[in-house]
Amino acid sequence: MPYAEAVKALTRIAEALERLSPPPASGLDLSLADAYVWHADPDRLEPVPNVNRVDIALLQGIERQREQLLDNTRRFAAGYPANNALLWGARGTGKSSLVKAVHATINGEKPGTLLLVEIHREDIPSLPRCLRLLKDSGRHAVLFCDDLSFDQQDDAYKSLKAVLDGGIEGRPDNVIFYATSNRRHLMARDMIDNERSTAINPGEAVEEKVSLSDRFGLWLGFHHVGQDIFFAIVEGYVAHYGLPISTEDLHAQANEWSVTRGSRSGRVAWQFIQDLAGRLGKSL
């Protein structure tokens, strides 16, 4: 092929690839909202005008976790050193609710101080690109991943690991990473045991994945609550929403509800309150 024709062909190919590539996620005005959801392919931050959250005062039975996360986030928002946080434990115990409530509390104290950016588990490989965009924004941001965990064949954790600690770029000073998980080490125990049993060096076989949780400086454990705390949670909701029911009837109905669900947690309490409000003809 003559040189001139080859140049034209390569130019056409380059232009076609340029048209197929996603537009850069730049130029976004992050003052439009205090919360965003990160999407990859194409990269973009979608504003969330109204975050689905619970008032922090209604989160009962997790006072210690609440104060630790609130203190860590306040320091970060003020520009002081703070840790990435892993909130782990039983389902429905208020992990993600606490992250969103803390964000609202900080911005309630000083409006516009803090961004909350949610990244989905499947978009973790695009995390470095998201961080570059947030770094350029200049705003302090909590990057939040709910229900984070990894399976045996999943290499996405490597992207997160490099960002949390040890990467060349590392985590920007204006971004902190909070994650919730049902697993303390972000991978199932039977997977850890399986890798140990089939490896020549069992310790090294799982060290890389298990050490991911060590990149979180703040670990907060969440567990199912006892009956007294469960009653305190539903009483808080009843008082907050002004639901007309006696304490005796409330306790009896809440106890029956928890028995039929087989557990007591903040999620079970909220589901009961939704049912109660509906039966009473009240809006929440």
Side-chain angles (χ1 to χ4, degrees):
M1 178 183 294
Y3 177 77
E5 292 184 11
V7 171
K8 290 180 180 179
L10 291 174
T11 301
R12 287 197 300 271
I13 293 172
E15 291 174 348
L17 291 174
E18 183 69 23
R19 289 192 296 270
L20 290 173
S21 63
S26 58
L28 176 66
D29 183 3
L30 292 183
S31 66
L32 297 175
D34 286 330
Y36 292 82
V37 175
W38 168 258
H39 298 284
D41 194 26
D43 294 346
R44 66 192 189 280
L45 283 166
E46 179 183 351
V48 180
N50 298 303
V51 177
N52 179 27
R53 58 165 60 102
V54 176
D55 189 273
I56 198 167
L58 296 175
L59 299 177
Q60 302 289 326
I62 53 172
E63 288 78 11
R64 180 184 61 83
Q65 297 93 322
R66 180 183 66 196
E67 292 308 313
Q68 285 185 275
L69 191 65
L70 193 54
D71 178 64
N72 190 71
T73 312
R74 277 200 183 105
R75 285 188 277 112
F76 167 70
Y80 298 114
N83 279 306
N84 300 308
L86 174 62
L87 290 71
W88 66 274
R91 293 179 176 85
T93 49
K95 300 183 294 294
S96 60
S97 294
L98 180 59
V99 173
K100 292 182 285 187
V102 163
H103 168 252
T105 300
I106 298 298
N107 280 347
E109 295 170 350
K110 190 175 180 181
T113 300
L114 196 62
L115 284 178
L116 180 65
V117 178
E118 183 174 13
I119 181 170
H120 298 133
R121 160 65 188 79
E122 58 271 19
D123 290 332
I124 287 294
S126 69
L127 183 57
R129 304 197 300 273
C130 178
L131 287 177
R132 284 193 290 270
L133 188 61
L134 293 176
K135 179 181 179 180
D136 294 340
S137 76
R139 292 191 66 181
H140 283 80
V142 172
L143 188 57
F144 170 52
C145 184
D146 193 22
D147 198 19
L148 179 65
S149 63
F150 301 96
D151 60 37
Q152 200 163 0
Q153 306 302 322
D154 196 345
D155 289 333
Y157 72 93
K158 293 179 181 179
S159 299
L160 178 57
K161 201 172 179 183
V163 167
L164 293 178
D165 185 37
I168 294 177
E169 291 185 270
R171 173 173 58 85
D173 291 337
N174 66 320
V175 180
I176 201 167
F177 190 84
Y178 287 176
T180 70
S181 179
N182 299 324
R183 303 166 179 171
R184 186 174 183 179
H185 291 296
L186 302 176
M187 61 185 295
R189 175 56 57 185
D190 59 344
M191 290 159 48
I192 296 176
D193 293 339
N194 180 63
E195 291 200 18
R196 284 199 176 109
S197 65
T198 58
I200 296 175
N201 189 324
E204 291 182 358
V206 295
E207 181 179 359
E208 188 176 18
K209 283 186 178 178
V210 173
S211 66
L212 175 60
S213 58
D214 293 337
R215 265 63 179 180
F216 294 88
L218 182 61
W219 284 17
L220 300 175
F222 291 71
H223 311 282
H224 287 300
V225 298
Q227 187 180 68
D228 56 339
I229 299 298
F230 185 73
F231 285 162
I233 295 172
V234 295
E235 288 173 8
Y237 280 128
V238 164
H240 181 76
Y241 293 110
L243 301 180
I245 185 173
S246 68
T247 301
E248 183 178 356
D249 286 343
L250 176 65
H251 287 185
Q253 293 183 36
N255 184 61
E256 181 180 359
W257 184 274
S258 68
V259 170
T260 61
R261 297 304 180 276
S263 69
R264 299 187 187 97
S265 68
R267 180 177 295 162
V268 172
W270 175 244
Q271 291 168 345
F272 164 70
I273 290 298
Q274 287 183 303
D275 179 78
L276 177 64
R279 287 188 283 109
L280 293 175
K282 298 293 184 179
S283 300
L284 297 177

